Amino acid sequence: MSFQCFILNLFRHGRKCRASTAYFVLVGKKTNSVLTYAACYHLFSYYHLLPQLTKEDYWQAIDQLVKEGKVIYTDPWIQLTEQGQEELEKTPVLLKGCFGKYDQWLFSLQRRWLFIQQILSEYSYKNQRYLPLTKNYTEKKEVKQILQRWEKPVQEVIENYVVIMETVLDGLNPLEQKIFASQWIGHQFYGFSDEELKAEYQLDDFSLFLLKTQLWIQLATFYEQSKELQSILQLPLPTLSLRLQWIQKAVHYPLSLMEMERYLRKKKGTIFDYIVEVALVDPTFPYQHWITKGEEEKLMSYYQKNTNIGSWNYQVVQEEIGEISFYTYRLFQIKKGFYG
């Protein structure tokens, strides 16, 4: 998938939306407006996927899509055209969501996976201590600590790991298998460089990046289910930050915004950003504590006339249904964006 086609996928839903906010989804900006937008347009698969993406590169791709007639852009709105829809019908949706669950943790899993593969392959191949990935003392110390924590003999760990590798690779196509086994240099698997893979499979840099991202997410899912792999990698399972865990308990208790403000010594706007994050990762979020029956009825009456909740404007909604708190308005958008 080319970068331009990837950007086109952001608008696969076909509804009118803000082009600039889609960019903030890709780079992972954490505000309630960006997160709500991602909920309304089902874009969490793309959240924080390209943190280094520049605005210049993003808008160049948008300009090219406009020139090719695949989207219509009238500042600030963008919408897919029939031609763009036809293009997307040829392109499978490759992404699997990772917002809120793996996020930054995915990088730790990648690093640990590569470390362990190199340690074990070196043991397997040369029966030496280990070959560090870097000369960084902290990272070398971490490797030694992992070796010391293994309760089983190294040879048994290697044998178990080979079985796990075979399980992970089972069902993948040859390209995906080569990507996963890229660092293994022992008896069982042999690595392939990115350049070799791109040449053999006629891939560009971005296509290979997407494939790798999907495989890491797949490995993360497998890691949560595999006690054997957890015992080898010894990486804590992904969890919400301590602050978000506290907020999650507080919204269920429930504490009011004012009470949370007093406990956390944060502004209401910042606390509400946290609440939005919790609402997006907690399927049991107690919306009934935050949206009254009367507010729900008023917002539902507006929703029945304007189902594209991503394009709502707070001031316009208030003019139509009367005064309503911004926090209630946002949480209703999230609720409808996720559950309809």
Side-chain angles (χ1 to χ4, degrees):
M1 181 189 291
S2 68
F3 176 65
Q4 188 175 307
C5 186
F6 170 80
I7 296 298
L8 187 63
N9 261 278
L10 292 170
F11 314 111
R12 181 183 283 268
H13 50 75
R15 291 176 286 169
K16 183 174 70 172
C17 60
R18 291 180 180 272
S20 58
T21 314
Y23 167 78
F24 291 126
V25 170
L26 288 175
V27 297
K29 186 175 182 179
K30 258 183 188 173
T31 63
N32 69 70
S33 59
V34 173
L35 296 177
T36 303
Y37 178 98
C40 293
Y41 295 111
H42 306 287
L43 293 178
F44 280 123
S45 298
Y46 299 85
Y47 184 81
H48 200 250
L49 197 62
L50 301 175
Q52 306 301 321
L53 178 64
T54 65
K55 288 185 178 180
E56 182 181 6
D57 288 341
Y58 174 77
W59 285 108
Q60 280 181 358
I62 295 293
D63 289 342
Q64 189 59 37
L65 290 171
V66 171
K67 289 176 183 176
E68 294 176 3
K70 295 173 183 175
V71 296
I72 297 173
Y73 177 66
T74 307
D75 192 25
W77 305 106
I78 191 168
Q79 189 167 15
L80 194 68
T81 64
E82 288 186 13
Q83 187 175 340
Q85 185 62 49
E86 290 173 3
E87 177 73 20
L88 289 178
E89 287 173 0
K90 307 172 190 174
T91 309
V93 180
L94 299 176
L95 296 170
K96 302 168 186 175
C98 62
F99 169 77
K101 189 170 186 181
Y102 303 133
D103 231 1
Q104 302 293 334
W105 180 84
L106 205 58
F107 173 76
S108 299
L109 177 64
Q110 293 174 22
R111 182 171 164 277
R112 181 62 59 86
W113 173 266
L114 297 180
F115 256 128
I116 297 300
Q117 287 207 70
Q118 194 158 23
I119 294 168
L120 293 183
S121 63
E122 195 63 17
Y123 259 122
S124 174
Y125 195 61
K126 295 182 180 178
N127 196 29
Q128 295 178 355
R129 288 293 298 167
Y130 68 96
L131 180 66
L133 292 178
T134 74
K135 295 182 179 180
N136 182 287
Y137 172 76
T138 303
E139 293 181 340
K140 290 168 68 176
K141 182 180 179 182
E142 179 183 351
V143 173
K144 291 180 180 178
Q145 290 173 340
I146 292 171
L147 292 173
Q148 291 166 359
R149 287 198 298 265
W150 280 338
E151 297 177 356
K152 300 177 181 178
V154 173
Q155 186 57 43
E156 187 177 343
V157 173
I158 291 172
E159 291 172 0
N160 290 343
Y161 191 70
V162 168
V163 172
I164 291 171
M165 278 288 288
E166 291 172 344
T167 302
V168 171
L169 296 175
D170 186 40
L172 300 180
N173 64 45
L175 170 59
E176 293 169 336
Q177 289 178 351
K178 290 176 182 178
I179 291 173
F180 252 150
S182 62
Q183 297 295 312
W184 186 265
I185 57 173
H187 299 307
Q188 301 294 328
F189 306 102
Y190 296 89
F192 297 82
S193 71
D194 285 356
E195 294 305 316
E196 290 172 323
L197 292 175
K198 287 189 293 185
E200 182 177 353
Y201 292 92
Q202 297 182 334
L203 297 170
D204 58 29
D205 289 335
F206 189 72
S207 298
L208 185 58
F209 163 77
L210 282 184
L211 274 171
K212 284 187 171 183
T213 300
Q214 289 308 290
L215 288 170
W216 286 123
I217 293 173
Q218 187 170 329
L219 178 64
T221 302
F222 179 81
Y223 181 78
E224 289 187 291
Q225 300 166 353
S226 173
K227 298 295 183 184
E228 293 83 2
L229 187 56
Q230 290 172 28
S231 69
I232 293 175
L233 298 191
Q234 298 188 15
L235 183 70
L237 291 171
T239 59
L240 293 176
S241 67
L242 291 176
R243 179 172 290 160
L244 286 186
Q245 288 181 47
W246 189 92
I247 293 289
Q248 188 175 34
K249 292 177 182 178
V251 297
H252 281 274
Y253 188 71
L255 294 180
S256 68
L257 269 174
M258 188 175 295
E259 289 172 314
M260 291 186 203
E261 186 181 12
R262 187 170 67 250
Y263 281 120
L264 295 178
R265 298 179 181 178
K266 298 281 186 181
K267 294 179 180 179
K268 283 184 181 179
T270 302
I271 294 172
F272 187 68
D273 285 346
Y274 299 152
I275 292 173
V276 165
E277 279 193 67
V278 170
L280 293 170
V281 298
D282 183 359
T284 65
F285 186 87
Y287 290 99
Q288 69 277 11
H289 294 329
W290 298 87
I291 307 174
T292 68
K293 186 177 179 181
E295 291 170 331
E296 177 99 17
E297 289 174 351
K298 287 197 292 184
L299 286 164
M300 274 300 297
S301 67
Y302 186 83
Y303 173 72
Q304 289 167 356
K305 302 174 189 174
N306 306 273
T307 56
N308 184 7
I309 51 179
S311 66
W312 283 13
N313 179 283
Y314 178 53
Q315 283 73 28
V316 173
V317 172
Q318 283 200 115
E319 290 172 6
E320 178 81 19
I321 67 174
E323 187 174 348
I324 196 163
S325 80
F326 179 73
Y327 307 117
T328 298
Y329 163 79
R330 272 284 186 249
L331 287 173
F332 181 85
Q333 281 187 299
I334 292 169
K335 181 181 178 182
K336 299 306 290 184
F338 266 149
Y339 307 111

